[in-house]
Amino acid sequence: MTIKTHALRAFLLAGAASALVAGAARADGEVNIYSYRQPDLIAPLLDEFTKETGISTNVLFLDKGLVERITAEGANSPADVILTVDISRLTEAKDGGVTQAVTDETVNKEIPAQYRDPDGNWFGLTTRGRVVYASKERVSDTDITYEELADPKWKGKICIRDGQHSYNIGLFASMIAHHGADYTETWLKGLKNNLAKKPDGGDRDQAKAILAGECDIALGNSYYVGLMMTNEKEPEQKEWAAAIKVLFPNAKDRGTHVNISGMALAKNAPNRDNALKLMQFLGSADAQKIYAEKVYEYPVAPGAEPSDVVKGFGALKADPLPLADIAANRKTASELVDKVGLNEGPEM
Ligand code: FE
């Protein structure tokens, strides 16, 4: 934990700001990161960044309230770079006024336009497919579309997590972007009536429910399958993963819905130059490779390969719609989830 070798310091919430301010004042070779991503997940990336640039990194890990915190810190906020998952949180950061626009040739070259804010207030670093987990035993289908999830042939067979969870809202927003709100409302009603039970748990719990025979198909993010397959801490998750196969919805037509993890430059970044260097690094081939290997996500960099585990799921053909256009439908998606009563589960 020395400054020279790079310190990954996960500060406690209380007193973190003063610790970061002290750090920033001590040296100009630093960058302060406010992160919703777990420290152990980003540590290998930051180690490599420090090795390449000599710039040390300070991490404040938060599980909520990032926008409120930076807002409260105001002009003196030590935050340089924000790291988070999901278009919802990146949009929240932009709309909350805690980011600033970046126009950087390197970053723009590394990250496809589809996965960055047109105004430069956020940038995607990895993508994750919202895929279908299907029972290996009971589902013979090899391809499926999101649209078909409303087909009565799946009645009583589908499991999902909370319909208002940002992962599902992202998918439903993409349905609106492709088909409009009226179609999506009808589709959500069909999906609701195909549910085996009330939406519940996380994505991994849906695989567990498939193993238990409670449902045959489920919606889940692609990386969880890699995380379950390799989970030494909770080996029972390997069994959940072994019960399912990954189907990439709409692989044969408009492509599978993807969401992103991403970054933003904080509004008052005191170490702006170092922050830009970190942003350039995170989009670089080196960093993209680390992301792919450690977290089972898809690199955003064109031509960068996913890990072997992820390749084993098959090829991802991502929906080409810009994430910003999808995100614009999030509010409507959320209203429709309530309107059709998705979280109440199937009507008997
Ligand atoms: Fe997740």
Side-chain angles (χ1 to χ4, degrees):
M1 292 262 292
T2 68
I3 293 290
K4 275 187 200 106
T5 57
H6 143 67
L8 175 70
R9 281 176 273 166
F11 292 97
L12 293 173
L13 279 179
S18 54
L20 280 168
V21 169
R26 189 165 56 237
D28 51 17
E30 291 195 321
V31 60
N32 300 323
I33 300 155
Y34 279 30
S35 177
Y36 275 137
R37 301 220 82 177
Q38 299 287 344
D40 55 344
L41 198 143
I42 55 175
L45 289 159
L46 300 183
D47 283 337
E48 187 58 33
F49 172 67
T50 301
K51 215 162 82 186
E52 284 187 20
T53 62
I55 299 165
S56 61
T57 60
N58 304 313
V59 179
L60 170 64
F61 171 71
L62 296 155
D63 59 5
K64 57 174 190 280
L66 190 149
V67 171
E68 293 78 359
R69 180 170 179 125
I70 297 178
T71 305
E73 288 167 349
N76 295 320
S77 173
D80 290 311
V81 173
I82 296 166
L83 289 181
T84 185
V85 296
D86 206 275
I87 186 63
S88 63
R89 284 186 153 172
L90 292 162
T91 306
E92 266 166 35
K94 180 188 178 185
D95 294 349
V98 299
T99 61
Q100 60 173 299
V102 171
T103 316
D104 184 87
E105 234 176 82
T106 306
V107 174
N108 286 349
K109 217 179 276 172
E110 289 168 340
I111 300 167
Q114 175 191 1
Y115 301 128
R116 45 183 160 86
D117 177 35
D119 302 327
N121 279 266
W122 49 258
F123 298 84
L125 290 168
T126 60
T127 65
R128 55 272 296 282
R130 192 93 184 123
V131 299
V132 162
Y133 301 166
S135 165
K136 276 183 191 162
E137 247 176 45
R138 299 182 298 277
V139 177
S140 56
D141 305 54
T142 51
D143 59 84
I144 195 165
T145 64
Y146 294 115
E147 290 78 3
E148 283 165 0
L149 297 178
D151 187 319
K153 86 170 196 177
W154 295 112
K155 189 161 179 60
K157 305 261 191 241
I158 303 179
C159 284
I160 58 168
R161 77 189 304 164
D162 189 324
Q164 292 290 2
H165 189 277
S166 57
Y167 296 165
N168 282 333
I169 290 297
L171 169 62
F172 303 158
S174 83
M175 292 299 285
I176 297 171
H178 282 285
H179 298 297
D182 287 348
Y183 175 96
T184 304
E185 182 177 342
T186 306
W187 176 78
L188 282 170
K189 278 183 197 154
L191 174 62
K192 170 186 156 87
N193 284 322
N194 284 343
L195 294 178
K197 54 180 184 153
K198 273 188 190 182
D200 186 30
D203 283 355
R204 293 184 229 213
D205 293 304
Q206 314 311 318
K208 186 184 181 185
I210 289 173
L211 173 66
E214 294 172 28
C215 35
D216 288 352
I217 60 173
L219 284 168
N221 281 354
S222 50
Y223 58 86
Y224 285 120
V225 183
L227 293 173
M228 289 188 286
M229 283 169 72
T230 57
N231 197 326
E232 300 302 336
K233 275 187 199 156
E234 291 179 62
E236 67 268 27
Q237 291 196 7
K238 294 183 185 180
E239 291 167 42
W240 308 349
I244 62 162
K245 57 186 176 183
V246 171
L247 300 180
F248 291 96
N250 301 76
K252 291 193 172 153
D253 47 71
R254 62 187 177 82
T256 298
H257 169 64
V258 299
N259 209 311
I260 51 175
S261 80
M263 62 183 172
L265 181 63
K267 189 178 178 192
N268 295 301
N271 304 292
R272 193 174 188 279
D273 289 351
N274 291 345
L276 274 179
K277 281 182 193 149
L278 177 61
M279 293 176 81
Q280 291 169 349
F281 169 78
L282 291 174
S284 72
D286 283 357
Q288 290 282 305
K289 199 165 177 245
I290 296 171
Y291 264 121
E293 293 295 334
K294 298 280 174 195
V295 297
Y296 305 112
E297 293 177 278
Y298 295 90
V300 282
E305 298 250 318
S307 71
D308 287 341
V309 168
V310 173
K311 273 188 217 160
F313 305 157
L316 169 73
K317 177 189 160 191
D319 179 349
L321 268 190
L323 250 299
D325 295 353
I326 292 172
N329 295 299
R330 291 182 69 258
K331 187 167 173 282
T332 306
S334 173
E335 287 164 2
L336 289 180
V337 166
D338 280 348
K339 191 172 172 192
V340 307
L342 187 66
N343 282 339
E344 286 146 37
E347 278 155 25
M348 288 305 155

